[in-house]
Structure formats: C-alpha cells, structure tokens
C-alpha cells in the first residue's frame, strides 16, 4: 500500500491551525482559491517522559 | 578585434523566489536555460530635463536628470516540463508543492487577494552574460522581476516549434553589474511536444475526434508598473537620489486568461450551437513527456465568445475564442505541473 501523499496548508488570513490535505488537484485547487496556503508541517508534539 | 555574436548569450534566472523584491537570488537558487528569441532584457534608464522650467531665459534644456529605471524582457522557448512549471508558479503566483524526486508536482492557482493572498507576485532575478570575466561583453542581473504573462501555442506538425511557450517579464528596475553570478550548468529539459496533447473543451475531446488544428492559451497579469514607484520606493544606488528611482513593489492589475483554438468543422460539430446557447464547461489542456513530467491546465468555466467557420489548408475549420470565467469553487484557472526539479518558486 502506498503512503498517502499530503501537504499542509494554513487557513486564509493566517488565522487558525494548519490542516493536512490530500495532494490532489480536486482537493487543493478549491482550498487554494479559498485562501489556504502551503506551510511547513507542524512540529510533532513533544511529550515529557515522567518517571514515577 | 573579435565580433560578439548573440549565440554566446547565456541566461539564468531564479528557480526559487527571492525573499523580497530587492534581495537577489543567489547562484544556488538559479537555473540556466537556452531560448529562441534574440531580444535582450535591456535595462532602460529614463531621463528628464529642465527644458520646460521657467527662469532660465530660454526654452532649451540646460540639465538632465536620471529619473527612473525599467526592465522588461521576453523568453521564447520550446515548451518543456521544467519551464512550464516555472511559468505557472511564477505567473499565477500561488503554488503548492507536493511529491518527491523524481516526481514533484506543482499545483498553481492565481493569487486571490479577496481570500487573503498578496497582490504582489513572486520575484526572481534574471541574469544575462556574454563572456563574463576578463573579456566581459555583458554581465548584468535584473533584480526583482515578475512574470507579466505567458502564452502557450500548440500547432499541427512534426517539429518542436509546434509546442512553444512565450513568457514576458518585468522588473523593479534594479540592476546589478557585474551580476556576481557563476552561470550554472544548463538545465536538462523534458519537452512537452504537440503530439502528446490531450484536449477536452466543453465536453468535446478534440484529440480523439482528430479535429484539433491549433490552440493558444495564455495568462496576463497586467502588472501595475507605475504603482511600483511610491514615495520611498528607493533608488538604483541606495541612498543616491540622483541614480534614478526603482520600484518597491510589483502588483498584478486586472488579470486576464485567454484560450482560443481552431478545429476541423464537420457535420455534428457543436461549436456554433454552443455559441448560440452560451453553454459553459471546463477546458482541460494536457501535455505529457512521461508519468513524471507533464503539464495540465484547467480553465474551470468557459463559454464560447466567438466561433467563425473558415478554412485551414483547404479544410473547413472553426476558430473559437473562449471566454474563461470564474467558477465559484475552483476559480478561473489552475495548472498542475510535474517535473523532476525541486524547489521551483519555493
């Protein structure tokens, strides 16, 4: 099974959280027209290892 | 004394976009191509004089002043996957890159200020050199250029000339001489020939019915050139008010898309009916080198503005001018350009 080809876009006017989209024209084009722009993927959340 | 012939001219320009209008691309962010047209991107220095001023006692000029700089240029090329991706990304202005070597995909749409996008197009630097170094004839870099428009022309016939792209560009006026750029190696191009065309317009597959004769499609940004000169836009030499003003921004004006084609006209051809009914549909133009190198341009809603029956080489044909319109969901146009080169317009 092939890995899903995705990109991260930030919302119009830069307001809100980035979202992951399938890298297909039928998905990307409406989003781009609506103001979504490519951005770097968010940094993975770092969880502190807590020792009991 | 050796004659300088124009075949020696080398050009390279920003594959990646500049960080802003005044910060030139570095050599690492540029790529080199050949071209078909002889014209150079000559920087033009505009001057004024004091002939019209009173107080001199006569009507003749006594002084001249460097006022501003212009840079414009045109690139004509056989259409290839790499230059197509570059023209779509820089020409339309908004790009999303996906994929990985050897299949990068650049999905490109026009910038939409109403949705929060900038009105400034991505900037690149353009270098022309003839014998750079000790015997230099020409070595200059226009900084802060944008794509004014592109036109793709597809014709009938066997040669490369039947699939061409023409790109017009305009610059801020800032010019660096010598460029300081070491010309990169020539880019290997994957040509997108006319014979690879797939074409569907308003529900008709013009390739499978073997009726397409020629096609031309284009985009024009109508850049607001004078709007680049605003109070404080800067000078050719920073801090030197006598060196001539340069532009501090290049914004698109009222943009236009164009699509017209000529097809054989026969019994059952629908062009005239569609013109009368003002039928709308999509127009999808695809050209392919292989699975990793291609260009697909989609006009999301077109109607026929004119359709005239005539002839081409003695065959009855119809010449159709389409009207590209804005579709509420998909906008006016999108381009999906695939090639093996990373970081175009990034």
């Amino acid at each position: 099974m092939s890995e899903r080809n995705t990109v991260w876009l930030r919302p119009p006017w830069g307001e809100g959280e980035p979202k992951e989209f399938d890298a297909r024209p039928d998905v990307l084009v409406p989003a781009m027209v609506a103001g979504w722009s490519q951005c770097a993927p968010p940094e993975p959340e770092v969880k502190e290892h807590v020792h009991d | 004394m050796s004659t300088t012939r124009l075949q020696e001219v080398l050009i390279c320009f920003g594959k990646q976009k500049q960080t802003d209008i005044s910060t030139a691309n570095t050599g690492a962010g540029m790529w080199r191509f050949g071209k078909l047209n002889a014209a150079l991107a000559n920087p033009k220095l505009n001057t004024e004089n004091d002939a019209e001023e009173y107080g001199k006692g006569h009507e003749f000029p006594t002084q001249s002043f460097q006022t501003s700089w212009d840079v414009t240029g045109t690139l004509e090329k056989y259409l290839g996957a790499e230059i197509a991706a570059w023209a779509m990304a820089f020409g339309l202005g908004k790009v999303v890159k996906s994929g990985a070597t050897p299949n990068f995909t650049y999905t490109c749409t026009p910038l939409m200020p109403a949705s929060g996008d900038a009105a400034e197009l991505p900037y690149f630097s353009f270098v022309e050199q003839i014998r750079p170094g000790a015997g230099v004839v020409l070595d200059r870099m226009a900084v802060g250029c944008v794509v004014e428009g592109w036109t793709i022309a597809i014709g009938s016939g066997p040669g490369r000339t039947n699939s061409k792209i023409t790109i017009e560009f305009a610059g801020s006026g800032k010019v660096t001489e010598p460029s300081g750029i070491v010309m990169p190696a020539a880019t290997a191009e994957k040509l997108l020939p006319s014979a690879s065309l797939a074409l569907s317009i308003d529900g008709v597959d013009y390739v499978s019915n073997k009726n397409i004769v020629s096609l031309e499609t284009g985009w024009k940004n109508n850049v607001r050139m004078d709007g680049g000169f605003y109070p404080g836009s800067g000078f050719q030499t920073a801090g030197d008010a006598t060196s001539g003003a340069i532009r501090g921004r290049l914004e698109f004006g009222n943009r236009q898309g164009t699509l017209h084609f000529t097809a054989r006209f026969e019994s059952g051809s629908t062009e005239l009916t569609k013109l009368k009914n003002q039928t709308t549909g999509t127009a999808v133009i695809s050209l392919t080198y292989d699975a990793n190198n291609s260009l697909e341009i989609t006009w999301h809603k077109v109607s026929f503005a004119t359709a005239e029956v005539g002839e081409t080489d003695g065959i009855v044909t119809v010449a159709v001018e389409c009207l590209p319109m804005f579709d509420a969901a998909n906008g006016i146009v999108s381009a999906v350009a695939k090639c093996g080169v990373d970081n175009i317009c990034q």
Side-chain angles (χ1 to χ4, degrees):
Chain A
M1 198 170 131
S2 63
E3 198 177 327
R4 190 175 159 220
N5 186 13
T6 63
V7 292
W8 284 85
L9 307 183
R10 62 177 157 75
W13 310 102
E15 294 172 355
E17 295 298 314
K19 201 174 148 189
E20 195 172 17
F21 288 74
D22 282 329
R24 301 197 327 257
D26 61 317
V27 174
L28 290 180
V29 170
M32 293 167 74
V33 170
W36 290 78
S37 303
Q38 190 163 26
C39 63
E43 295 287 324
E45 197 177 335
V46 179
K47 291 184 179 172
E48 285 186 32
H49 190 69
V50 180
H51 296 281
D52 289 332
Chain B
M1 196 169 172
S2 73
T3 302
T4 307
R5 302 194 304 167
L6 200 58
Q7 286 96 333
E8 293 184 54
V9 69
L10 301 174
I11 61 165
C12 69
F13 46 91
K15 175 184 73 176
Q16 296 173 247
K17 63 182 178 183
Q18 295 182 187
T19 52
D20 56 50
I21 191 170
S22 59
T23 305
N25 284 116
T26 62
M30 303 181 105
W31 57 357
R32 172 182 155 194
F33 285 96
K35 61 172 186 163
L36 297 170
N37 58 316
L40 299 172
N42 278 312
K44 182 184 166 199
L45 171 60
N46 302 300
T47 61
E48 290 178 14
N49 61 59
D50 64 351
E52 307 247 318
E53 294 180 28
Y54 297 103
K56 307 190 304 292
H58 54 78
E59 68 274 39
F60 304 110
T62 61
Q63 293 181 78
S64 71
F65 310 92
Q66 301 184 56
T67 54
S68 64
W69 289 80
D70 290 321
V71 173
T72 57
T74 302
L75 273 180
E76 287 179 27
K77 289 188 56 58
Y78 297 129
L79 183 64
E82 298 77 13
I83 195 68
W86 183 87
M88 297 301 123
F90 278 89
L92 298 178
K94 188 164 189 174
V95 56
V96 169
K97 185 193 83 166
S98 57
T101 304
N103 182 352
F104 293 99
T105 301
Y106 298 90
T107 304
C108 309
T109 60
L111 292 160
M112 295 301 300
S115 300
D117 293 336
E120 282 184 75
L121 292 157
Y123 297 106
F124 62 94
S125 307
F126 187 87
V127 174
E128 286 176 331
Q129 294 179 343
I130 300 175
R131 300 180 199 168
V136 64
V137 177
L138 205 65
D139 182 8
R140 62 194 178 196
M141 171 165 62
V143 179
C145 299
V146 296
V147 169
E148 163 64 15
W150 49 259
T151 304
I152 291 172
I154 308 296
S156 296
R160 292 183 296 164
T161 193
N162 290 298
S163 180
K164 286 170 66 174
I165 186 167
T166 303
I167 301 161
E168 293 173 58
F169 62 90
S172 65
K174 186 174 174 64
V175 178
T176 304
E177 285 187 274
S179 67
I181 297 293
V182 176
M183 188 63 58
T187 304
E189 298 182 65
K190 311 280 195 313
L191 292 177
L192 302 173
S194 166
S196 72
L197 181 73
L199 177 66
S200 169
I201 301 175
D202 218 347
V204 174
D205 185 334
Y206 283 92
V207 173
S208 68
N209 69 16
K210 303 183 182 180
N211 277 345
I212 189 67
V213 175
S214 63
L215 173 147
E216 191 172 292
T217 190
W219 181 256
K220 197 151 178 61
N221 281 313
N222 289 313
V223 175
R224 298 178 192 274
M225 297 304 291
D226 287 347
F229 294 115
Y230 55 86
S233 65
F235 297 102
Q236 185 63 257
T237 304
D240 179 0
T242 67
S243 61
I246 58 171
R247 295 169 179 83
R249 66 183 170 213
L250 287 169
E251 298 171 323
F252 52 77
N254 293 334
R255 296 164 290 177
Q256 297 167 289
T258 55
L259 171 63
H260 49 93
F261 67 95
T262 300
R264 290 187 173 190
F265 190 76
E266 56 193 17
S267 173
S269 288
T270 57
E271 288 81 10
L272 297 182
T273 308
K274 283 176 178 161
L275 171 66
K276 285 178 195 159
N277 295 341
Q278 285 296 287
T279 311
T280 60
T282 58
V284 184
I285 304 153
S286 304
L287 293 147
T288 304
Y289 174 85
D290 62 18
N292 297 328
N293 297 274
S294 61
L295 172 65
E296 181 177 282
I297 297 171
T298 303
W299 297 99
H300 291 283
K301 183 180 176 184
V302 299
S303 64
F304 293 173
T306 63
E308 291 181 13
V309 176
E311 66 85 30
T312 305
D313 296 331
I315 305 285
V316 178
T317 54
V318 60
V320 178
E321 175 137 4
C322 297
L323 173 68
M325 293 188 277
F326 191 88
D327 176 75
N330 293 304
I332 186 165
V333 66
S334 61
V336 179
K338 295 181 180 179
C339 72
V341 179
D342 196 4
N343 285 325
I344 296 173
C345 201
Q346 301 296 299

